[in-house]
Amino acid sequence: MVTANRGGQHGMHGFIAEIAEVGISNARRQILGQEPVLQRVNDNGPVDLMRCGVEIQQKFVAAGGRFSLGAIIEHLQKYPYYVQNGGKYQIPSDHFEVIQKLYSMPPEEAGKLLSRSDDGPSFRDWQRIDAFFKEGSMDIDSLEPSKLKYHEVQRDVYESTVAAEENSLLSTDQSLRDNAYQKSLPNLQEGTTATLAAAMVEGGTAFVLAVGAKRRKGKQLREFSQQDWLDIAGETGFSFVKGGVRGCSIYALTNFTATSAAVASSVITAAFGIAEQANKLRRGEIDELEFIENSELVSLEAAVSALSSFVGQALIPVPVLGAVVGNTVGTVMYKAVALSLSKREAELIERYLGEQRVLEEQLAVEYREIMEKLDQGLSDYFGLLERAFSLDVHVALFGSIVLAREFGVAAAEILDSEGQIHAYFLG
């Protein structure tokens, strides 16, 4: 538009204003996460812009000192039903401010306050605006301000206007990011809410399950004894506390460390499970081997749960999958509850973890050896195939003989001489 000198030297800024209005308006909405709604029509018709079905004619005219109203009068004469059909007129924001101010000013006040000089709005300006709206073709509600002032879209200024708007948008974006970051920071209130919510959910679930368990035994609610209610209260209270600890721990892990919610939940679940096994070991209900086995199962579930959240994001080499999972299990067991275990239990888990690491190293060595043998075997195999299917008949004959021997074909069945070949095909 500008390079083509569209609109001439005096009208070019009108086309600049249309493009700038669309770009700036939509950019300001998008920086706030909203959909762009303004479109440029660009067909030299009665409408310049469209916004959600509303027709907008833009007028950026300073000639005659009528704040773009003279251009609106000409447009209304050409399209008399434009406003009646819901159309809007958009003018420079500085023009709109003056019109709005003078429109709301009573005649007596205008006569006293407005200067009759060229410095600022004059009484003559007030008279023109008053006459325009008294004529009745349109009211002030059919006017709206542009995002831009008249001088901001002139040919020699618009580039600096766009640059300033770009800087403003970048500043707004940074401010929004900073505010979002501040709101996302962990705080005591959110931590308390997460703790209470988790406690209520787990405690409520335990209450329902405890009542359901006793109902399945054939008891009606009215038949519950005092001991029944004490049992239910005990289970509910324990689960309430456990849920609170779980919620608080998950909130802390996800907000203060680089831990996802899935992994945090798995670690906390493993911690509870291993702590329970530790209590059984202390009470003599299980021995050391059972403690390790049960803890391994608990941690395996936690490890699988955590790893499943990364499915599709990482490839796990199948030959060493056992070592990877085993090491993960040992790590979860050791780190999840190391502080809560006695020296005996911690030593058991630490020893288990060491064994898993040794196993991982052994399997890694074996895996590399197997892959090297496989690579060599495939190389030899492809070499045999290349010779067996060579275009050179003599090479192919010798290659097929070697290939047959490699696949275990009996020597008596291999045609390895011209005599045998003639006897087989011509005999």
Side-chain angles (χ1 to χ4, degrees), residues 73-85 89 137:
I73 292 173
E74 294 177 3
H75 188 270
L76 280 173
Q77 290 173 348
K78 190 174 181 180
Y79 304 101
Y81 298 103
Y82 178 75
V83 173
Q84 296 178 23
N85 293 333
Y89 286 102
S137 297

Side-chain angles (χ1 to χ4, degrees), residues 176-187:
L176 291 172
R177 290 174 184 270
D178 292 341
N179 290 337
Y181 173 73
Q182 291 299 324
K183 290 181 180 178
S184 69
L185 292 176
N187 56 69

Side-chain angles (χ1 to χ4, degrees), residues 2-3 5 8-9 12-13 16 153-159:
V2 179
T3 55
N5 203 33
Q9 190 68 25
M12 182 188 301
H13 63 272
I16 296 174
V153 296
Q154 302 305 305
R155 179 174 184 173
D156 298 330
V157 180
Y158 79 92
E159 289 184 349

